[in-house]
Amino acid sequence: MPVKVSVIVPVYNPGPYIEDCVASLLRQSLPADEYEVIFVDDGSTDATPARLDRLAAEHPHIQVIHQPNSGWSGKPRNVGIAASRGEFLMFVDNDDYLGDEALERMYAYGVAHQADVIVGKMAGKGRPVPVELFRRNHPRATVDNAPLIDSLTPHKMVRRAFLERTGLRFPEGRRRLEDHVFVAEAYLRADNVSVLSDYVCYYHVKRDDASNAGFQPFDPVGYFANLREALDVVERYTEPGPLRDRLLRRWLRVEIVDRMSGRRLLGLPDDYRRQLFREMHEVVLERFGPGVAPGLRPGQRIVAALIRDDRYDDLVAQAEWEAGVGPRAAPTGVEWHDGTLRISFTAEYRRDGAPLAFPVGGEGTPAAAAPRDLAQAVAWLGTDAVDGFEKATVDLVLRDRASSASFFQPVQVTRERVPAGDGRVRLVLRATADVDPGTAAGGTALHAGLWDAYVRLGLGGWTKECRLGPVRGPDRPAPQAGIVADRVVLPYWTKRHDNFSLDVDRAGKALGLGRLTPEDATVSETHPLSVALPLHVPDRVAVLVRLTSTATGKRIQRTGTLTPTDGARSLLEAGVPLHEVRGAAWRLEVCLAPRAEAPRFLPLPLVLRPARTGGALLTRPAAAGPVRRLVRRVRRVLGAALRGTTSRATAARETTRKA
């Protein structure tokens, strides 16, 4: 069968960090005979070469190429291209990993849209990744109609015929930004680029030891010499004008201005940031014409102008002021509406813990001029924020805590100018987001796990992100759990920081079922078991009820229903066969989401007991007395000791057999 995709992985001393990469490649939903994996070992000196050789011996669709160290990833990727057979080539770094369906989905998407390049949605685990690019799918994206230029890492799928037609390859040798040169040219020469945003295809990982190449200090002279080569590509394949300026602006913004702003600049040693500043000053004067900087945001224009005018001390002062500015998002309401979680909140910028007030009137930031001092820069930025307030944006993003996958939620926004005295105003955005657990993950249901809520606030010269919260005290919203889309969804506030999150299919005690009393339930010969539960359901929901005999351990399972009674509670009903539960007490459990990824039975604090007069009654479980608690503790200790003895005996027998 023809190979659909060749995965090319350059490898150099990854140690254990390659294991997640390997595991994800073996888990791919694409059949093994439809893709191949080519590891190109670039002279590793750890145990990785032997590990890869064993892997290739076990899996026919994996091969390993060993070569002397070349200094960077360009040559290993090119060697992999030459050895590959796939219709498409996918480039993966050895310390990152793929989503399980990445190859299958990206290949199908590329074929469906005749794409030369497919960009799959990325999640950054400790590393920044593009966000705006992945708001939605772009089946036919260009550098003109989508923010493609924000994603220049090599982790793309590329059509082989396109590489053969163009002769495009990665620059080789000891160098930086070789991926920028390759990807920028691919974007500009491709007949079509497709962006797949409804599934996380690529996980970009920061190692625990922060030894990724992208986190290491670099030589400023060599780095900006390599950056000029990426700019050369843009100038080679575009005409002078707005499009070229917009593309060049990406390098001015990301590689220069952002490095010289706020906490990022202040976190660098002074001698190193002075070296960076000197090289950046030369690049700005040499390569960025008059149409590039004016398209930046106001604060970025100020930084660019200070670099251009060689004003290092003023640049540091600007960074110190900006480092104190950040957003704050305060929840005002969280409640369920017909299976949708409606979250209301306010968002505004603050500085040093206090709301940031902006002057009304005045002069905004010029297109190119630098401010005379910090006071004028701050005044310019304030005027820009007020004048552009009607275009201010706010987004609610749900982020999976385990994978960092992020998904935008629909938001409605109003804007309010709040008088702050002295002719100043606070700029407050009031937003309401509707989170549907059945579609919140890019059109699909939220999977089991913890999901944190983040707010992105775009106002004036900044777009910054913060957690939703914190909220403390008895008056904060406290919505109950909901059973929606075959999932148990619990809105909650994190213990340490009091920020807002969602627990999907994991919570037990926090659901509040343990607070039930016998007065919340009824059962009789003629009526089914009925229990009022503190759960939201949008409609009738099928559940499972399980009874377990305290005497024999026998189990009886029945199908039940949850029916909404009001917005905050629901009624559990299940037919209980009273003729089968005579003569013993029976513990009750309920499975709230039988079709979940991992269905769970949760205990109810109720015991069904036969009544002396016939029928049955519900009581609370008997509290364990001191003797019973002691017996349970002894049993746990003896059980653990017995398991340890059994394990040691088994190990001794294995040793004897091997001897």
Side-chain angles (χ1 to χ4, degrees):
M1 181 173 290
V3 175
K4 292 181 177 179
V5 182
S6 296
V7 183
I8 297 170
V9 187
V11 178
Y12 181 71
N13 285 354
Y17 294 100
I18 199 172
E19 296 303 328
D20 285 343
C21 178
V22 168
S24 76
L25 294 172
L26 294 177
R27 286 196 309 265
Q28 289 301 299
S29 60
L30 197 66
D33 60 353
E34 295 184 8
Y35 74 101
E36 64 177 357
V37 180
I38 303 172
F39 291 100
V40 183
D41 172 42
D42 197 43
S44 294
T45 57
D46 61 5
T48 303
R51 167 74 175 98
L52 295 178
D53 287 340
R54 292 193 302 272
L55 187 70
E58 297 168 359
H59 300 279
H61 65 304
I62 295 178
Q63 64 170 302
V64 182
I65 299 172
H66 299 283
Q67 67 178 29
N69 182 255
S70 66
W72 208 250
S73 300
K75 184 173 182 179
R77 293 194 188 106
N78 290 340
V79 169
I81 292 172
S84 64
R85 299 175 293 130
E87 179 185 354
F88 285 85
L89 284 67
M90 178 74 195
F91 299 100
V92 176
D93 282 347
N94 62 190
D95 39 23
D96 297 334
Y97 61 92
L98 297 178
D100 292 356
E101 301 174 20
L103 298 183
E104 182 179 14
R105 287 177 178 251
M106 293 177 73
Y107 174 83
Y109 197 68
V111 170
H113 300 291
Q114 299 178 315
D116 288 330
V117 181
I118 304 97
V119 184
K121 182 182 179 75
M122 301 178 70
K125 301 191 69 174
R127 306 193 68 164
V129 297
V131 176
E132 298 298 329
L133 176 61
F134 300 119
R135 277 183 178 266
R136 62 178 180 84
N137 286 341
H138 297 270
R140 301 197 66 83
T142 68
V143 293
D144 199 21
N145 67 17
L148 281 177
I149 204 66
D150 287 349
S151 180
L152 291 176
T153 61
H155 316 121
K156 315 290 187 285
M157 187 177 284
V158 184
R159 188 183 293 269
R160 169 184 296 283
F162 168 68
L163 294 180
E164 292 176 349
R165 182 176 77 248
T166 60
L168 182 60
R169 295 294 186 273
F170 288 90
E172 298 182 2
R174 295 185 178 275
R175 52 173 300 113
R176 293 272 185 166
L177 304 180
E178 86 295 337
D179 47 356
H180 288 206
V181 174
F182 178 92
V183 175
E185 184 169 345
Y187 287 159
L188 292 168
R189 300 184 69 182
D191 290 337
N192 184 41
V193 179
S194 294
V195 180
L196 177 64
S197 300
D198 56 11
Y199 179 79
V200 180
C201 299
Y202 197 92
Y203 293 88
H204 201 25
V205 181
K206 178 182 179 181
R207 295 185 185 181
D208 295 335
D209 61 1
S211 61
N212 310 74
F215 286 93
Q216 304 310 303
F218 56 80
D219 167 46
V221 175
Y223 188 88
F224 288 102
N226 294 152
L227 183 145
R228 289 176 171 88
E229 295 173 355
L231 305 182
D232 291 340
V233 169
V234 174
E235 293 178 354
R236 185 180 309 127
Y237 293 104
T238 62
E239 297 295 328
L243 176 60
R244 176 186 286 184
D245 288 341
R246 178 147 53 87
L247 298 180
L248 295 178
R249 192 173 299 133
R250 184 267 173 212
W251 282 272
L252 175 60
R253 172 175 53 86
V254 176
E255 306 300 334
I256 296 178
V257 169
D258 286 355
R259 293 181 188 275
M260 293 285 108
S261 300
R263 290 189 176 91
R264 190 170 180 186
L265 172 65
L266 301 178
L268 299 174
D270 184 67
D271 58 344
Y272 182 61
R273 65 193 189 198
R274 285 181 183 275
Q275 294 177 44
L276 286 174
F277 182 83
R278 284 195 296 270
E279 294 302 318
M280 291 175 176
H281 172 67
E282 295 299 326
V283 174
V284 168
L285 291 178
E286 173 191 331
R287 299 303 298 265
F288 298 110
V292 179
L296 294 171
R297 292 175 177 172
Q300 295 168 337
R301 292 203 300 271
I302 290 173
V303 173
L306 293 174
I307 295 172
R308 180 200 62 206
D309 292 353
D310 201 16
R311 292 169 56 183
Y312 175 79
D313 291 337
D314 290 331
L315 182 73
V316 174
Q318 174 78 13
E320 290 172 343
W321 181 85
E322 185 183 351
V325 175
R328 165 76 188 279
T332 56
V334 182
E335 56 185 355
W336 289 101
H337 287 269
D338 297 327
T340 297
L341 192 63
R342 185 160 296 167
I343 304 170
S344 302
F345 60 95
T346 63
E348 66 177 316
Y349 274 103
R350 301 168 71 88
R351 185 169 188 276
D352 296 336
L356 192 57
F358 300 88
V360 178
E363 179 186 7
T365 306
R372 62 176 176 269
D373 53 27
L374 178 60
Q376 186 175 48
V378 172
W380 285 355
L381 291 173
T383 299
D384 289 324
V386 173
D387 291 347
F389 187 45
E390 295 309 313
K391 296 181 180 179
T393 61
V394 65
D395 288 293
L396 182 77
V397 178
L398 286 186
R399 183 165 298 152
D400 177 22
R401 193 178 298 177
S403 69
S404 297
S406 299
F407 298 95
F408 287 87
Q409 306 303 306
V411 174
Q412 294 181 335
V413 182
T414 59
R415 301 165 181 84
E416 181 180 357
R417 300 172 186 237
V418 180
D422 298 329
R424 296 173 175 265
V425 294
R426 291 166 51 196
L427 303 177
V428 180
L429 286 89
R430 302 189 181 277
T432 301
D434 287 331
V435 177
D436 180 351
T439 60
T444 62
L446 298 175
H447 59 250
L450 301 179
W451 294 80
D452 297 319
Y454 285 82
V455 171
R456 287 173 60 84
L457 177 58
L459 170 64
W462 309 286
T463 294
K464 296 178 183 287
E465 187 177 88
C466 66
R467 286 296 307 274
L468 180 58
V471 177
R472 299 180 176 91
D475 296 330
R476 72 183 182 188
Q480 70 283 3
I483 315 301
V484 183
D486 298 318
R487 282 149 176 80
V488 182
V489 181
L490 174 67
Y492 75 101
W493 305 94
T494 61
K495 289 183 179 180
R496 184 174 180 183
H497 297 294
D498 294 292
N499 292 320
F500 185 77
S501 297
L502 297 179
D503 180 311
V504 180
D505 285 340
R506 289 175 42 127
K509 293 181 180 180
L511 297 178
L513 302 182
R515 294 192 293 271
L516 295 174
T517 68
E519 288 70 30
D520 295 310
T522 61
V523 66
S524 70
E525 294 280 3
T526 58
H527 290 85
L529 172 70
S530 298
V531 186
L533 300 183
L535 301 171
H536 169 81
V537 292
D539 204 343
R540 288 174 64 90
V541 174
V543 299
L544 295 176
V545 174
R546 190 165 69 189
L547 296 86
T548 303
S549 170
T550 59
T552 65
K554 177 183 176 181
R555 286 179 171 174
I556 299 174
Q557 185 169 296
R558 291 291 186 269
T559 300
T561 59
L562 277 179
T563 304
T565 57
D566 57 40
R569 297 177 71 83
S570 59
L571 184 66
L572 167 65
E573 294 181 297
V576 175
L578 295 185
H579 63 280
E580 295 185 37
V581 296
R582 308 286 185 191
W586 297 75
R587 294 191 301 271
L588 292 176
E589 297 173 290
V590 60
C591 179
L592 298 170
R595 293 187 293 178
E597 300 168 36
R600 301 172 300 144
F601 276 90
L602 302 173
L604 298 179
L606 300 171
V607 173
L608 187 68
R609 300 179 185 275
R612 294 179 180 178
T613 57
L617 54 85
L618 292 160
T619 66
R620 274 193 169 276
V627 174
R628 184 177 296 178
R629 288 196 296 269
L630 178 61
V631 170
R632 289 177 180 173
R633 188 176 302 119
V634 170
R635 285 176 176 172
R636 286 197 297 269
V637 172
L638 291 176
L642 180 60
R643 288 192 295 272
T645 301
T646 303
S647 299
R648 288 192 293 272
T650 301
R653 287 196 296 271
E654 290 294 328
T655 302
T656 302
R657 279 199 294 268
K658 291 178 180 178

